């Protein structure tokens, strides 16, 4: 249905219709963000013959959506992505104060030492912080199966398609023999409707 | 081979041979305890149509043992057990000081109020602490598939069979919609050889 409408709007131009659909998906995602997600499912992914394991909980608004193939595909993809990309946090907002400060100090120090003017140094720090988020936050990481989108964009597409707010709540990642385990729990969204 | 030897020792009495084998298993387990386990595998168990998920890492001494069917069966059983029995810790030694104190205080208070003499009150507290460990510690819980043995006895049997030290290192348990998640990491064994 959505596809037909988008095609009509785009006057039969498929490329254009896809752009419309993607925009709409994101628009829907923005409208849905902040709505309570207390249903969902837990999925796991075991990699490399049992040497790496991931457990992830993804929430949505209804059990009906949680049981759809689309949702199941999403949580499987997210679990697999975590196994491969080893994020430390769910979102930017979840980065601890200590990690944030440590990173910022390093970049600030580098910027000052570079001798660049203050306004450029500031931009350098901002840029490096974005890079840092892309490395450690699941939502900011490029999706392992399609590096042109981030995991948060992958989720936004599903929100557009399924019509419910969807969010990753928590994950755990164990690697055999590794001292530390990653356990990330996302804070509830602070966004107002 | 072990079975044949045990049967010979028990003069053909199968029941007796089983007892011998079980005793031997435990004896082997005691000899093996304390040996370094840095190999192993991560397994998961998804229960109730994705509403409960468990991730567990079980360690052994060699990758060879980690790949045996016996080991795979063990980690599958342990993951399933955790999904069903919801432990909070791996071993007694992992119970936090705060949890230990809180429980002990409650039982002590109950014992004092019961008006029993000090030596009996003390025994009551000890008994209740054992019950508490059985409820919250994976190793102390009765194994879900055979309630006559504890999980630690299940593991001891496998140690006897596989001839390597085996230990549960950590687990995570998520339940959709639950506020808290269980993440338990066992301290390294302090036992001397």
């Amino acid at each position: 249905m959505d596809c037909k409408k988008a095609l009509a709007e785009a006057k039969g131009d498929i490329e254009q219709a896809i752009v419309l659909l993607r925009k709409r998906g994101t628009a829907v995602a923005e409208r849905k963000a902040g709505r309570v997600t207390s249903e969902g499912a837990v999925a796991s992914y075991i990699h490399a013959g049992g040497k790496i394991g991931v457990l992830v909980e993804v929430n949505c608004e209804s059990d009906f959506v949680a049981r759809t193939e689309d949702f199941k595909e999403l949580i499987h993809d997210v679990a697999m992505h975590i196994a491969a990309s080893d994020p430390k946090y769910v979102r930017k907002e979840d980065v601890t104060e200590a990690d944030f400060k440590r990173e910022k100090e390093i970049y600030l120090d580098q910027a000052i030492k570079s001798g660049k003017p203050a306004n450029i140094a500031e931009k350098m720090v901002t840029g490096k912080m974005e890079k840092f988020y892309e490395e450690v936050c699941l939502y900011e990481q490029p999706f392992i199966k399609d590096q042109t989108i981030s995991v948060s964009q992958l989720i936004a597409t599903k929100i557009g398609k399924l019509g419910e707010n969807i969010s990753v709540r928590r994950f755990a990642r164990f690697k055999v023999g590794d001292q530390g385990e990653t356990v990330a729990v996302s804070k509830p969204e602070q966004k107002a409707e």
Side-chain angles (χ1 to χ4, degrees), chain A:
Chain A
M1 266 309 287
D2 279 349
C3 297
K4 267 196 181 169
K5 264 197 262 175
L7 259 174
E9 271 181 61
K11 299 185 179 80
D13 181 339
I14 291 174
E15 288 293 315
Q16 189 60 28
I18 290 171
V19 171
L20 272 172
L21 278 172
R22 290 190 65 183
K23 277 188 188 163
R24 198 153 301 154
T26 317
V28 171
E30 275 163 16
R31 271 207 317 280
K32 304 287 178 191
R35 275 166 53 172
V36 176
T37 52
S38 55
E39 290 292 338
V42 182
S44 64
Y45 189 81
I46 302 293
H47 188 61
K51 296 303 173 198
I52 294 174
V54 167
L55 192 68
V56 63
E57 179 180 341
V58 182
N59 291 145
C60 54
E61 297 174 42
S62 74
D63 192 46
F64 176 77
V65 160
R67 290 177 190 279
T68 59
E69 281 310 310
D70 265 303
F71 190 79
K72 284 179 191 164
E73 186 190 61
L74 175 68
I75 57 177
H76 174 264
D77 278 348
V78 170
M80 197 191 60
H81 173 94
I82 294 167
S85 300
D86 195 15
K88 299 297 170 209
Y89 298 102
V90 179
R91 308 152 192 266
K92 280 187 195 179
E93 295 80 2
D94 303 319
V95 173
T96 58
E97 193 68 22
D99 273 12
F100 176 83
K101 272 193 183 162
R102 187 201 58 230
E103 291 301 314
K104 193 141 194 179
E105 261 173 40
I106 294 170
Y107 303 144
L108 212 55
D109 194 57
Q110 289 173 346
I112 289 166
K113 279 185 184 146
S114 74
K116 296 275 196 314
N119 61 333
I120 292 183
E122 207 170 290
K123 268 184 194 160
M124 282 171 64
V125 172
T126 309
K128 288 205 170 171
M129 283 309 289
E130 289 304 317
K131 267 269 165 242
F132 169 69
Y133 289 139
E134 263 178 47
E135 273 168 27
V136 299
C137 301
L138 171 66
Y139 271 46
E140 306 301 319
Q141 289 181 330
F143 176 42
I144 195 80
K145 282 168 77 178
D146 174 4
Q147 309 260 338
T148 66
I149 59 169
S150 66
V151 171
S152 104
Q153 284 168 321
L154 170 75
I155 295 170
T157 308
K158 289 285 184 179
I159 294 175
K161 194 166 176 191
L162 294 168
E164 281 195 5
N165 190 15
I166 294 170
S167 58
V168 175
R169 184 165 182 199
R170 45 194 169 190
F171 66 83
R173 184 181 185 277
F174 297 166
K175 188 178 170 193
V176 171
D178 255 20
Q179 277 301 325
E181 53 283 324
T182 306
V183 179
V185 180
S186 189
K187 296 173 205 159
E189 285 177 85
Q190 303 293 334
K191 258 185 199 163
E193 235 339 59

